[in-house]
Amino acid sequence: RWLRDYPRATPIGVFLFVLSLVGGSAWSVELASDRTDRADAAMRAGEIAAAIVRQAAANGAYLQPTSALFSSLRDVSPDFFRQFVTRLRLAYDLTGVIGLGWSETVDAADLPAFEERMRAQGHPQFRVHPISPGKTGPYHIITMLEPETPANNAALGFDMHSEIRRAVAMDRARETNGLAATDPVTLVQDGDATNSPGFLVYVPVSSMARGRFKGYVYTPIRTRDFILSATKSRLPTTGRVDIVDMTDKG
C-alpha cells in the first residue's frame, strides 16, 4: 500500500542507496590513496635521510687521512698540503664542499712571529683576525685551505674560535676526539650573504709523537649544495622537504 500511495519512493530510495554506495566507495578510494601517499612519503624521507648520512660519511672519509697527515708530520708545507689534497681528488663541485683546510693553534704571545712566518710562506698580506685584547686562550687560525681560490684565500688568518658556533663544535671535537659539525653558520667565503647557510666539520689533531694538541683539520660546506648532491633525484618535484635533527642534541 505504501508503494501504491507513494510510487516515486522506490526510485528515490534506490537513488539514495546507490548514492551512499558511491560515496562510501569514493571515501574508501580517498583513504587508500592517502595511505599510499603517506607510505610513499615515508619511504622517500627514509631514502633522503640515508642519502644524507652516506654523503656525510663520504665527506668525513677525506678528513681522516688529512688528520693523520698533520698528526704524523712535524711540519706540513702549503705546497705539500696542496699536492696531498690534489691526490685525494675531492669532487668539490659535486658535494657542496668548498675546501679542505688546516687550522693551527697559536698562543697569543706567539702571534707576531706566526704572522711573519706566514708572510714569508707567500702570503704578504696575512694577518690574524679578529684580535681579542686580553685573550688568554690560544687562537685557532686558518693557515691552509685548498683549493686555492680568492674566496678561500680570504679566509686565511681567521680565528675560527672567535665565533661561538664554530667554537662550540671545535671544543666538542676535541673533547670527544672525533668529528663534530657546527650549527648553521654564514661561511667566510660567502661574506655577508644571508641566503646561503653552511656548516663546518672539524677533526682535532694531536702530535703522534708527543701527544701535543696541534689544531684542526676541517671542511666548510654549503648546506644547499650538500643536500642536493646527496639526494639527487630523490627530492620530490612538488611540495617541500624539511630536514630536522631528531637526536638528543638536535
Side-chain angles (χ1 to χ4, degrees), residues 50-186:
I52 292 173
V53 170
R54 286 194 297 270
Q55 187 70 45
N59 288 347
Y62 291 116
L63 292 169
Q64 298 300 338
T66 310
S67 64
L69 171 72
F70 282 93
S71 177
S72 59
L73 298 181
R74 180 176 179 180
D75 295 304
V76 177
S77 69
D79 287 340
F80 187 85
F81 182 61
R82 186 175 302 111
Q83 295 174 20
F84 176 84
V85 174
T86 299
R87 290 174 181 172
L88 286 179
R89 299 182 182 278
L90 275 74
Y92 300 103
D93 296 336
L94 302 178
T95 62
V97 174
I98 298 177
L100 186 60
W102 169 245
S103 168
E104 186 171 337
T105 299
V106 182
D107 291 331
D110 298 330
L111 288 182
F114 172 76
E115 288 183 328
E116 287 299 321
R117 189 194 86 193
M118 291 299 299
R119 290 165 185 159
Q121 289 182 349
H123 302 286
Q125 305 300 320
F126 183 90
R127 65 179 182 85
V128 175
H129 62 281
I131 295 294
S132 304
K135 181 174 181 177
T136 57
Y139 286 74
H140 299 277
I141 306 164
I142 300 175
T143 61
M144 288 180 268
L145 184 56
E146 292 293 332
E148 197 173 32
T149 64
N152 281 346
N153 286 341
L156 298 180
F158 177 53
D159 173 22
M160 289 192 284
H161 208 266
S162 65
E163 194 277 316
I164 184 62
R165 292 191 175 188
R166 290 170 170 83
V168 168
M170 296 168 86
D171 292 345
R172 185 169 68 250
R174 187 173 180 183
E175 290 169 1
T176 60
N177 195 34
L179 280 78
T182 68
D183 286 338
V185 299
T186 297

